[in-house]
């Protein structure tokens, strides 16, 4: 029976320029390292599983070293591109609206952030999360505070002959506006340099903060209101249907990273719904890499309630995590390595835990805390180069052992 994977990546720039081609190349390399008598090649193509949605398909082919003909198909990976669907509404808004949304979301989460500091629950890094949210708060507030400062600049022109007539015609009391803006200007003198300092000391600050802001806002809407979830999961259903039609004698594996793991869980264990027939009959393996399950369960405690668990006896679940990654879940009641102690709320399926580290255990220092080292480690599972070592090596050996490849 053929084996087909669906690759569901993380959001935005969590992993720079990551793609299904890179992921497939890592897989191909591991096959080559473990088979000296054969050569492996990649074949890439584009398909449209609907009139509007496309998927990049990478086939891993095997042949003998001296064989020039096209090799035997060993594994095929389809990518599922949900990023534009999830963020399209947010990206259309201007920078002011974006920051107002971000500001409100942080304010809305403050009670839970404080609560988690004193009662962490399953999530083990509440202080780091509070700090990350605090930075988002400062960034959004700094932009908002710049608005009165910008208005104040305009009012300075009111003393010129050119603008006097304009302000008189609008019946605006320039003096009252200036007095109102004065305290805000004083506050902005502190917020702007503090924000600038934070952005300077955090590596890759522009992409990191922008990515966090966009991802947090869109994920919050997805989790709280189900915004775009029906469209995303509907498209994933259509991709599964396409695979079932074009590769009928096949089993499907879900290779998921970061927020992509949450989308796969929503497909396989939906809320108040049932998986499609093709999903139930074709799905065989769930692979989660750096899944933020505990983070979401801690700050959105009702999200995993009322899950339809028909797939709990039909799947094998492999979970790759790093103890250095603040967002990854080891599905244990402690921060230690070891076997999983729980799974998705309300289901009996436990993941097979696979620990992957790129550094020895290190003590949390003030510098590491300020620079959000544990959050930046969320991209530690592979390097930007597909030729480097990665967690795919451990994944390959586990899949080989369980005869999934």
């Amino acid at each position: 029976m053929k084996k087909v994977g669906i690759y569901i990546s993380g959001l935005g720039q969590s992993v720079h320029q990551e793609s299904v081609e890179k992921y497939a190349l890592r897989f191909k390399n591991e096959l080559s390292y473990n088979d000296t008598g054969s050569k492996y090649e990649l074949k890439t193509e584009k398909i449209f599983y609907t009139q509007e949605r496309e998927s990049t398909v990478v086939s891993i082919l095997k042949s003998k070293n001296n064989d020039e003909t096209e090799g035997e198909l060993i594994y095929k990976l389809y990518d599922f591109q949900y990023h534009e669907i999830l963020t399209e509404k947010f990206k259309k808004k201007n920078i002011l609206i974006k920051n107002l949304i971000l500001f409100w979301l942080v304010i809305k989460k403050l009670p839970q952030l404080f609560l988690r500091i004193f009662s962490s629950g399953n999530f083990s890094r509440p202080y780091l999360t509070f700090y990350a949210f605090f930075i988002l708060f400062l960034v959004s507030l700094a932009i908002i505070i710049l608005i009165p400062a910008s208005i104040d600049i305009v009012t300075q022109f009111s003393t010129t002959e050119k603008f006097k007539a304009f302000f008189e015609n609008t019946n605006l009391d320039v003096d009252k506006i200036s007095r109102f803006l004065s305290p805000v200007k004083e506050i902005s003198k502190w917020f702007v340099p503090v924000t600038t300092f934070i952005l300077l000391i955090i590596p890759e600050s522009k992409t990191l903060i922008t990515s966090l802001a966009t991802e947090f806002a869109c994920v919050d809407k997805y989790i709280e209101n189900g915004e775009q979830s029906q469209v995303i999961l509907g498209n994933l259903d259509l991709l599964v249907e396409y695979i079932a039609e074009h590769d009928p004698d096949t089993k499907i594996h879900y290779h998921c990273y970061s927020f992509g793991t949450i989308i796969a869980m929503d497909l396989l264990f939906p809320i108040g719904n049932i998986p499609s027939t093709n999903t139930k009959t074709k799905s065989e393996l769930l692979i989660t890499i750096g899944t933020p399950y505990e983070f979401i369960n801690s700050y959105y405690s009702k999200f995993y309630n009322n899950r339809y668990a028909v797939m709990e006896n039909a799947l094998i679940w492999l979970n790759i995590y790093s103890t250095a990654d603040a967002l990854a879940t080891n599905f244990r009641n402690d921060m230690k390595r070891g076997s999983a102690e729980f799974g998705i709320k309300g289901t009996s399926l436990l993941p097979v835990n696979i620990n992957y580290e790129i550094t020895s255990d290190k003590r949390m220092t003030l510098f590491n805390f300020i620079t959000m080292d544990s959050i930046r480690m969320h991209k530690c599972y592979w390097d930007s180069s597909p030729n480097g070592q990665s967690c795919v090596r451990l994944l390959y050996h586990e899949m080989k052992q369980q005869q999934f490849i």
Side-chain angles (χ1 to χ4, degrees):
M1 183 170 285
K2 296 178 183 178
K3 306 292 185 180
V4 171
I6 297 178
Y7 173 73
I8 312 177
S9 69
L11 270 172
Q13 298 182 12
S14 297
V15 180
H16 299 292
Q17 298 179 343
E18 191 57 33
S19 65
V20 67
E21 292 96 331
K22 282 187 175 182
Y23 188 80
L25 181 54
R26 295 185 183 101
F27 229 89
K28 189 213 78 166
N29 289 341
E30 294 305 325
L31 286 163
S32 298
Y33 299 152
N34 291 276
D35 188 352
T36 55
S38 304
K39 65 177 181 180
Y40 293 87
E41 296 178 324
L42 300 180
K43 179 182 176 182
T44 303
E45 59 181 322
K46 295 278 189 181
I47 61 99
F48 282 85
Y49 60 94
T50 71
Q51 290 184 342
E52 299 177 347
R53 300 295 174 187
E54 68 175 21
S55 174
T56 301
V57 186
V58 184
S59 300
I60 304 176
L61 306 174
K62 175 185 177 180
S63 61
K64 296 296 182 182
N65 283 329
N66 56 356
D67 190 353
E68 298 301 323
T69 61
E70 184 170 279
E72 173 194 3
L73 177 63
I74 297 299
Y75 204 78
K76 185 184 288 188
L77 279 163
Y78 292 75
D79 75 335
F80 177 62
Q81 302 170 11
Y82 67 91
H83 312 80
E84 290 185 5
I85 301 174
L86 182 67
T87 61
E88 63 181 355
K89 289 186 178 181
F90 186 79
K91 286 182 177 179
K92 289 178 182 178
K93 302 181 187 300
N94 62 50
I95 189 170
L96 173 60
I97 299 300
K98 287 180 180 178
N99 279 276
L100 286 172
I101 291 172
L102 179 60
F103 178 76
W104 168 244
L105 290 178
V106 175
I107 293 296
K108 185 175 69 172
K109 284 295 171 188
L110 276 179
Q112 285 180 295
L113 289 169
F114 280 112
L115 179 64
R116 286 290 170 263
I117 291 177
F118 301 103
S119 177
S120 61
N122 289 331
F123 189 59
S124 57
R125 314 274 175 94
Y127 293 99
L128 191 62
T129 306
F130 183 86
Y131 175 63
F133 273 72
F134 178 68
I135 290 177
L136 291 177
F137 171 77
L138 285 181
V139 171
S140 60
L141 190 60
I143 298 295
I144 294 170
I145 286 178
L146 285 176
I147 297 168
S150 302
I151 296 173
D152 185 61
I153 292 174
V154 175
T155 61
Q156 299 302 317
F157 288 103
S158 64
T159 58
T160 65
E161 294 295 331
K162 198 171 187 179
F163 285 89
K164 273 184 178 179
F166 170 77
F167 281 102
E168 287 174 0
N169 291 334
T170 56
N171 296 318
L172 293 174
D173 191 328
V174 177
D175 292 332
K176 283 186 178 180
I177 294 174
S178 297
R179 287 195 298 272
F180 173 77
L181 294 175
S182 181
V184 180
K185 286 165 55 184
E186 292 300 317
I187 296 174
S188 67
K189 289 179 182 179
W190 291 99
F191 269 98
V192 174
V194 168
T195 306
T196 304
F197 174 73
I198 290 174
L199 295 179
L200 285 174
I201 65 172
I202 299 175
E204 303 172 344
S205 58
K206 289 182 180 179
T207 55
L208 181 63
I209 297 299
T210 302
S211 176
L212 280 174
T214 301
E215 292 177 14
F216 172 58
C218 295
V219 168
D220 181 83
K221 292 289 186 182
Y222 178 96
I223 295 173
E224 288 275 34
N225 306 322
E227 186 168 305
Q228 301 298 87
S229 63
Q230 291 173 308
V231 179
I232 290 172
L233 295 174
N235 274 275
L236 186 50
D237 265 333
L238 289 169
L239 180 57
V240 170
E241 181 183 350
Y242 179 94
I243 295 171
E245 289 180 358
H246 291 79
D247 294 299
D249 185 25
T250 191
K251 286 292 186 180
I252 298 176
H253 305 160
Y254 300 87
H255 297 251
C256 316
Y257 165 72
S258 191
F259 187 71
T261 66
I262 306 304
I263 290 175
M265 289 178 185
D266 278 355
L267 178 79
L268 298 168
F269 300 94
I271 304 171
N273 204 342
I274 57 174
S276 69
T277 300
N278 284 325
T279 299
K280 287 191 290 186
T281 58
K282 296 291 184 181
S283 300
E284 180 181 60
L285 177 65
L286 171 63
I287 300 162
T288 55
I289 303 172
T291 178
Y293 174 90
E294 284 188 4
F295 174 85
I296 292 176
N297 189 44
S298 184
Y299 292 98
Y300 301 90
S301 58
K302 296 181 180 179
F303 181 66
Y304 295 107
N305 292 348
N306 304 316
R307 295 283 172 158
Y308 196 77
V310 69
M311 297 294 294
E312 62 185 353
N313 296 319
L315 284 172
I316 298 295
W317 178 6
L318 306 180
N319 177 58
I320 300 175
Y321 70 96
S322 168
T323 57
D325 178 6
L327 296 176
T329 306
N330 64 353
F331 292 94
R332 293 177 54 84
N333 296 313
D334 54 39
M335 295 174 60
K336 298 178 181 178
R337 300 171 179 85
S339 300
E341 297 174 345
F342 61 91
I344 298 172
K345 188 188 296 184
T347 71
S348 61
L349 178 63
L350 295 182
V352 176
N353 267 348
I354 303 173
N355 177 243
Y356 178 75
E357 307 288 348
I358 61 171
T359 181
S360 57
D361 294 346
K362 56 183 179 180
R363 184 170 54 88
M364 175 61 74
T365 64
L366 179 61
F367 179 78
N368 291 340
F369 180 85
I370 292 175
T371 58
M372 295 194 292
D373 186 66
S374 293
I375 289 180
R376 289 189 294 111
M377 289 301 288
H378 191 52
K379 60 179 182 178
C380 72
Y381 299 96
W382 40 64
D383 191 72
S384 58
S385 169
N387 293 319
Q389 291 187 357
S390 71
C391 68
V392 177
R393 174 165 297 180
L394 297 178
L395 174 61
Y396 164 78
H397 283 285
E398 187 65 35
M399 290 179 66
K400 187 73 174 177
Q401 183 176 337
Q402 298 203 34
Q403 299 182 335
F404 288 123
I405 192 171

